[in-house]
Amino acid sequence: MKQHKILLITLAFFSIFIHTSCENYLDIEPKGVRLLSTVNDYELWLESDFLQTQVPFNLTYLSDTKDITNISNEPSFGTQSLYTWQKQISEDPQATPLLWAHLYKVVYYYNVVIMGVGEATGGALQQKQSIEAEALMGRAFTYLQLVNLYGKQYNEATASTDLAVPFVTSNDLDDLTPDRSTVQEIYDQIIADLTKALPHLPENNYDNRFRGSIAGAYSILARTYLFMGNYQEADRYAQLALDNGPNVVVDYANIPNAAAIPNLKKRPDAIFARYNTGRGVPEFPTLDLLKSYNTKDQRLNLFFSNIPVFPMLGGYIFPRRGVTMYWPGGITMTGTYVYPNCGTSVAEMRLIKAEAAARANNLVEACDELDEVRKYRFPSASYVKFKSDDQETVLNEVLRDRVFEFPFHGMRWFDMRRLDAENRMPTVNRYDGEGNVIATLPAGSKKYTLQIPVQVLLYNQNWSQNPWDDE
Amino acid sequence: MKTKPNGVLIYLIKKPLIITMKVFIFLFSVFTFGINTEEALSQNTIITFDSAMEISMGEVFKIIKKQTDHTFVFESNLFKNTPKIKIEKGDIKLGDLLEKCKSVTLSDFQFSESGAILFKRIPPEDVQQTITGKVTDMLGLPMFGVTVLVKGTRQGTTTNVEGEYSIKAPVNAVLVFSYIGYDNQEIMITGENTSLNVKMRENISELQEVLINTGYQKIKPEQSTGSIVTIQSKEIDTRINTTDFLTSIQNKVPGLLLNNDIEFEGKPLFQIRGISTIYGNKQPLIVVDGFPTELSLDMINPNEIASITILKDAAAATVYGARSSNGVIIIERKKAEIGKPKIRFRNTTSLTPKENYSSYRWDKNASKIITEWEKINPKSLVTDQAWDLLPTQSGDSYNLNPAVTIIAHWKSLTDPISIEERDRQLAELASYNNTNDYNQLFLRTAITKTNNLDVSGGSETAKYYVTTNYAKTQFNEVKNEQSIFRLSARTTINLAKKLSLDMTNDLNIANKVSVPIPSINNIFPYERFQDNDNNPLSIHNGSRANPYYNEFLINTGLLDNRYYPLKEIDEVREDIRSVANRVTANFRYNFSKELNVNFGGVYESSRSDNRHLAGEESVEARQYVNRYTTGTSGNLVYNIPRGGFLREQDNDSDGYTIRAQANYNKQLKKDHAFNIILGGEVREIINRSSSTAYFGYDDNTLFTLPVDYKKIVGMNPIYGRSNPEASFSQLFNQKYENNRFVSAYSNLVYSYRNKYSLTGSIRIDQSNLFGTNPKYKFKPLWSVGATWNIHKEDFMENVESINSMKLRAAYGFNGNVAKNALPQVIAVNGLNAITPNEVTPMLSLYSYANSGLRWEQTKNFNLGLDVKVMNNINMHLDYYVKKSTDILAINQIDATKGGNAALINRASILNQGYELDIDADWISRSRFNWNTGVVFSYNKSEVLDVYNPNLLENTSSRNYIAGSYADYLKGYPVGTMFSLKYAGVDNEGYAMSFDENGAAKRFFTDDQGLAELEYSGSSIPVLSAGLSNRVDIGDFYMYCMAHFYGGFKVRVPAPTIYNTTRPLEGADNYWKQAGDEADPNILPFPSNNDSQYMAYTDKYTVNGAYMTIGDLTASYSLRNSRFVKKSGISNIEIRLQASNIYTIGFNTYDFSKGTRNYEKRYMTPTYSLELNFNF
């Protein structure tokens, strides 16, 4: 009997040991990683450097401002394919689809917030709504890039049949990918999201320009309508952005070097601050771009290494490719990270307004708006205000200034697309080291709408592919 | 374990017994002559026998009466049924004769004064007779230290050096002879046997006798249904263990693929029955003394392993649950035996010579052909501007190598040198090759010295085994060394009659010093390490600044950015000190014969401190300083202070397992036997690590300078842009990982008449790894098995040549744990440093939400046959099918879902194979034995499913041949290789391959993807085999082990000049002009793609089969030497061993993976000498 008692005690001990303590024992919060549960977690999530550097650096490879002098004759790897407007950036089914994968990861980040913040603990409803509104705004900003890479340039007549990208709202890998939406649907969604976000967004973001604000949403709306060709609305929202947020342009005319530009987090002219993924990486500009700058333009002298570094190479004559470089942080290389804003800025709003005015043939207003940017870009002694009463001249000057202002900001490709749709783009060529043409982007080319990456099509075989020039 | 004295044995010991008796009697007579009493006189009366005979007591009395005056008095039935007494021909003293009768008949005698001899019965238990004898092994060699115990008592002794023992024991008692690695012999003392010689039989090949240890329980072999292999210490100890214990079981266990020369996914092969997971751990689970270990395998001293058991299939391993998919290796260490202290000392010295570069397959004129090539290299990246830019540009594209720098100078537009000057400078480079200097300056003979001391012994109540081990190694690379100290103590204490405790305690302290030795493959052959005055010189690789830019840096006020290998080895030093501790305690309480309960656990902790010190003058410290210096000459700001750099990293790991288990054994009537275990386990593992760094550090003053990390983090450098980044997250780092498991398990064995048995296992594991949803936390795994012991059937009774024959089958599931994924979004903390001076906390994505996450599982079927024939030949044959499903892997996902890759359960792998194991003692005589072991394994894998089944279409062929893309490809084995079908060189020197239709074209033009490739095979051997032979001749043995790997392909690098520092022989034989292509062996004109991809053609992808002779060991034991005996040492054994002696590759290039690299033609042997002393 005694033996049985001991046995029973032991068995009881077993079961207590294993069962009762089990749930508590296993329920440990992992350290070093975090499940998003509190409102503060979502705050920190929006603080991630991934989102703040979300603009794809690779966008500059598409742009006509970029030059690669040592390109191989058979462009093989991703970015070179992009630079030469290949049909696919990579045929390798295992390759990361550049641009697409990055932008959808950004979308994922915002979707995590949009889906989860409502159930988070430890914050007032207002704070949750504000965080969700910021995510909606960020997602809209991202879809604006996606629709302008993989969908045709917005054309009111065809937008509701032109296929763009899928509109993803889930954060679970187990969910199915939706089909491609039309260009119209994506634009509608962008506008709807921004409109939905506006009432809840913070009034301003002067202590951290990377975060959302009412002016930020207006500025993205202004850019959205500009890309849609709705200049009236673009002008209206640009003005709203200026009225509700910062309205100064950093004066390049009276600063000793680029290091004096305030850091982007608190830069006074940034409406919605975003870096690109490559931030400080220098680029070689085309000689055409270099030569088109006015030699007095501070945007040339602050950011392009030229005369001081290689006097023997010809100064402002720029005789050789691959010598003068664009330094995003300024040529003084002070290491203080004054990188360009690839989000929205006061200067962009001014230029949108100038363009809208020029297109509406309000040339005086257009020149005045342009002057609001240019007068801060030239030393006052050598500054001459641009004036013209020819609509085409004014419009061209405004468009040119967009290039000077945003040469490697990820803006140029989108401008090239909309200009090409208006037959304003010449043929763009790429040259190898010896000056032979190795790639061509003709006017009206289908290449202006990138193909869906094969890596994505493999998973979505019912999608149709975007057409290409040789088809 | 029980052996009844069998007829053969008694017969064998009879003869020596008689001889011994004779000697004994002679000596006895001599001695008794001295004691001359009256009784003694009577006793000394001589009785003579005319012939040898066996007679009853009655007849004895008749003869005595006939020859003397003595009369006899005894109880009438005293001698009834007593055994007959053996008498030899000749004279025997009366006393001796009576003594003899006494012991045979269990009666005591006494001489009365009247001369009558009185006999009386003595109770058997009181008859304490002295038993003497000699214990030998099967070869007849005396065995020292064998425990001899009177069964059921604490009375015991051990054999001496001669193998002799003497013990007092009552008649009818049972003597138990035990020695580790040998079967216990139990022999009953009959009155007749005062001398008992015993032959011990090793339990190595005893299919029937050794219990199988699964770590949780010990099962009788005839009841086991799983595929289990056990290797005993003798086999492990046959060779000298200079490295780790794994080397000793390489190709000793079928199904275990162990190969340090072939890597898969960057790790040496170490797997049981193929690869059944992609992202999870692929290595078998290792269990030491009953509990899984997370510690480094260094912890296990190879010299103290008693047995290694390998569990391969579901029936065997399911009880290990979610960690059993890869098989389990169970290590049992030597245990103490009762007896006087036994001391053993072992000293081993091993030598490994340094590399012999002169026999490498390198071109002897490497410097020349490289420099000559640069003259004509059309793809040289040097432009005519390069020379002018050199002094001002940092960045990788301006770090030109010396030969290219000369070319650049010649190409310069502003300041060119003449072509003659160019050639003169190149010729100067070409005149020197640094292999000899490298060998002399950086390499030496590697030496490992090991000392090992064991002390063991104990009594019935407490046994102990203490072992210390000290190993010191100087590696081939100068200044690199390591020492390991190990201490292990194990005791078994009987705390009470029913309660016992096993405890083990292990301590391991290792110190390793590493100094950076440059790899010879990274140094151009024409580079010098020192000038004529022995001042160190810098080399290209690692300098990260060309000499002109370096000069600019120095002139600007920065530090020398270049790498001086000879200086660096004095300046940089990394010390890794690790301490590991392991304690196990296991209580066992026996309620009854049937039921006992174990309660115990293991605690493991390890700590390693990694101290990396780079002195002020090291390139490492200098390059950090330069990278983070800002400002201009005269106004430089050193954001990282000048001085040394110290990085310290601590890794801690603590873990415990607590286990409670009930064991129930029941024999129902005669036919039914049950063995049930039921248990639970709790397990926790905590891993921590932290690292810190100091700049401006002085190791003498221990003073360090402050750094403003806000300025450093993510800084865009001005100078030395290609210098390594001082990444804040790598310099300062904390890691913490806590995994907990709770498990319950049960194993049931039912056996019918020991002929048939059925087993079943079930285990449920819960862990914190899969979050809170019970759907993911529960993972029930189960298995069933059955065994048929055919030889116990009646119809097998007459088949004498088959000693045993067993058929077994098992089916079930094993699991694998995959970590770092949860169904929810996981975020990870970080620092947002994109705004300088405003570093803020942030969260970023660690893993995606995945509601479909689940555990991996492997369905396992095994069929096995165990046969023992002709007493000496054991064979095991196994066939298995393993299908692993829900394999978790970082897989490509639809990028639209938020990224390019995520951890998901999609893949499936099938492994099938068969295994054969033969162990035979061909000849077994008393002074001669020849044993052969053959192990043969075949494993074929097939990836049944990977995440994307459509990957096979429209893919560039390049992706299939290079990289790891084909490692897991649907429809192909794990580690598949594809090759281009080589079609020679075209008339412009380009390499060509055949397309799908057999037309030749240049590589990768008009690419047809997989269609134009040839399936070559797997990079992982499908076949592996081992053959060992051991021949014992008296005190001498020789042992030889050969390994074979086959059924796989290797890529042989094609010789080329392009982009290499050490071109292979024949690299110069490339296409130079039209017409050269007629030579079928001509190499393509060196250019980027062609040279790089030549190894991926079918011409250079060849059969990888190779054989190596792993060990050749000779041993001589001095146990019979007079000198040794005199000095009180029981044995001295001297052993010599040569390892990695010879290898042969079965392909046209004679390439054997045994040499690891194709450049190397031979294996580097290791020579060892071991001295072994037993006291």
Side-chain angles (χ1 to χ4, degrees), chain A residues 306-320 322-324, chain B residues 384-393 412-415:
Chain A
N306 42 35
I307 317 100
V309 184
F310 300 109
M312 74 284 196
L313 293 174
Y316 287 116
I317 301 161
F318 307 114
R320 294 173 69 105
V323 175
T324 302
Chain B
D384 49 9
Q385 300 157 36
W387 176 258
D388 294 312
L389 294 173
L390 284 183
T392 51
Q393 298 297 300
S412 166
L413 293 175
T414 54
D415 167 33

Side-chain angles (χ1 to χ4, degrees), chain A residues 3 34 47 93 320 333 337, chain B residues 385 591 715 718 827 832 892:
Chain A
Q3 276 187 7
R34 193 146 11 152
E47 281 293 325
R320 294 173 69 105
M333 298 189 285
Y337 316 88
Chain B
Q385 300 157 36
F591 285 102
M715 185 178 120
I718 296 170
N832 179 334
Q892 187 181 23

Side-chain angles (χ1 to χ4, degrees), chain A residues 45-267:
Chain A
W45 185 257
L46 288 179
E47 281 293 325
S48 87
D49 56 5
F50 175 78
L51 287 180
Q52 298 181 355
T53 60
Q54 73 172 73
V55 177
F57 170 67
N58 299 326
L59 283 174
T60 65
Y61 281 80
L62 291 163
S63 144
D64 60 356
T65 54
K66 187 175 173 71
D67 194 9
I68 302 179
T69 50
N70 62 347
I71 187 154
S72 49
N73 285 326
E74 299 154 33
S76 47
F77 48 94
T79 49
Q80 291 204 351
S81 307
L82 206 56
Y83 173 73
T84 48
W85 311 291
Q86 305 284 303
K87 194 172 173 182
Q88 283 287 330
I89 299 168
S90 172
E91 296 274 354
D92 177 356
Q94 286 227 314
T96 301
L98 292 180
L99 296 171
W100 184 284
H102 176 77
L103 289 167
Y104 271 104
K105 191 170 181 182
V106 175
V107 168
Y108 185 87
Y109 261 74
Y110 289 125
N111 280 337
V112 165
V113 178
I114 295 163
M115 291 193 72
V117 71
E119 283 159 34
T121 56
L125 178 65
Q126 199 192 347
Q127 194 188 356
K128 291 183 189 176
Q129 286 174 332
S130 170
I131 288 171
E132 188 191 348
E134 278 193 60
L136 286 167
M137 178 184 138
R139 191 173 72 181
F141 178 75
T142 315
Y143 271 109
L144 187 57
Q145 292 166 353
L146 276 165
V147 72
N148 275 292
L149 284 166
Y150 301 99
K152 277 191 193 155
Q153 172 61 27
Y154 184 84
N155 174 343
E156 207 174 344
T158 60
S160 52
T161 51
D162 291 339
L163 286 177
V165 291
F167 194 81
V168 179
T169 54
S170 155
N171 71 359
D172 191 334
L173 296 184
D174 229 29
D175 291 345
L176 293 172
T177 304
D179 285 339
R180 291 175 71 180
S181 297
T182 62
V183 171
Q184 185 68 51
E185 283 166 344
I186 297 290
Y187 272 103
D188 287 350
Q189 192 69 51
I190 290 168
I191 292 163
D193 280 351
L194 290 167
T195 312
K196 188 182 168 194
L198 268 167
H200 304 294
L201 282 165
E203 280 188 19
N204 60 54
N205 61 356
Y206 58 84
D207 58 341
N208 186 352
R209 298 290 187 199
F210 288 107
R211 299 296 296 269
S213 67
I214 291 170
Y218 283 138
S219 68
I220 297 165
L221 279 165
R223 188 189 281 191
T224 306
Y225 281 111
L226 180 79
F227 287 179
M228 289 170 85
N230 186 339
Y231 304 107
Q232 205 180 337
E233 283 293 285
D235 176 72
R236 188 168 76 86
Y237 281 111
Q239 189 58 51
L240 278 169
L242 294 172
D243 293 347
N244 285 280
N247 195 354
V248 288
V249 174
V250 174
D251 187 357
Y252 291 176
N254 296 309
I255 53 172
N257 55 45
I261 299 170
N263 197 278
L264 184 54
K265 191 173 188 177
K266 300 206 167 131
R267 194 174 296 171

Side-chain angles (χ1 to χ4, degrees), chain B residues 142-284:
Chain B
M143 288 181 65
F144 165 68
V146 176
T147 305
V148 186
L149 202 65
V150 180
K151 197 176 183 182
T153 71
R154 294 185 187 173
Q155 219 173 318
T157 182
T158 53
T159 56
N160 66 10
V161 182
E162 301 288 333
E164 292 162 354
Y165 70 94
S166 169
I167 191 168
K168 287 206 164 188
V171 173
N172 287 341
V174 174
L175 286 188
V176 183
F177 296 81
S178 60
Y179 191 77
I180 194 149
Y182 289 77
D183 287 341
N184 284 1
Q185 297 270 20
E186 297 195 1
I187 297 171
M188 189 192 260
I189 311 292
T190 57
E192 205 177 337
N193 299 342
T194 53
S195 174
L196 190 59
N197 290 357
V198 176
K199 264 196 178 203
M200 298 292 284
R201 185 180 280 272
E202 285 160 56
N203 52 17
I204 180 164
S205 56
E206 285 298 302
L207 184 70
Q208 299 300 316
E209 303 302 329
V210 185
L211 288 185
I212 291 172
N213 179 6
T214 69
Y216 283 97
Q217 63 183 142
K218 292 188 174 173
I219 321 176
K220 285 185 189 168
E222 66 263 28
Q223 296 180 352
S224 134
T225 60
S227 181
I228 299 174
V229 179
T230 300
I231 297 177
Q232 300 294 345
S233 64
K234 184 192 165 185
E235 200 163 352
I236 300 162
D237 283 345
T238 290
R239 63 186 292 280
I240 302 175
N241 290 297
T242 48
T243 47
D244 56 68
F245 77 93
L246 286 174
T247 322
S248 297
I249 57 172
Q250 189 178 2
N251 283 319
K252 293 268 184 188
V253 183
L256 172 67
L257 181 59
L258 199 60
N259 188 320
N260 287 328
D261 303 320
I262 300 176
E263 291 191 339
F264 179 64
E265 296 178 331
K267 282 183 182 164
L269 299 178
F270 176 28
Q271 64 202 43
I272 291 176
R273 293 187 166 179
I275 286 168
S276 56
T277 180
I278 295 173
Y279 183 70
N281 193 346
K282 298 186 172 76
Q283 286 198 354

Side-chain angles (χ1 to χ4, degrees), chain A residues 22-23 26-27, chain B residues 764-780 822-824 851 853-855:
Chain A
C22 189
E23 289 306 311
L26 294 176
D27 193 13
Chain B
I764 297 168
D765 286 301
Q766 281 185 278
S767 94
N768 65 311
L769 292 169
F770 279 171
T772 48
N773 190 339
K775 188 176 155 195
Y776 305 114
K777 278 209 295 197
F778 280 95
K779 177 73 178 176
L822 289 176
Q824 305 96 321
S851 55
L853 196 69
R854 51 204 177 270
W855 292 40

Side-chain angles (χ1 to χ4, degrees), chain A residues 14 36 39 92-93 101 123 125 142 176 227 244-245 282 326 344 421 454 457:
Chain A
F14 267 123
L36 298 170
V39 170
D92 177 356
L125 178 65
T142 315
L176 293 172
F227 287 179
N244 285 280
Y326 168 75
T344 56
V454 287
L457 277 188

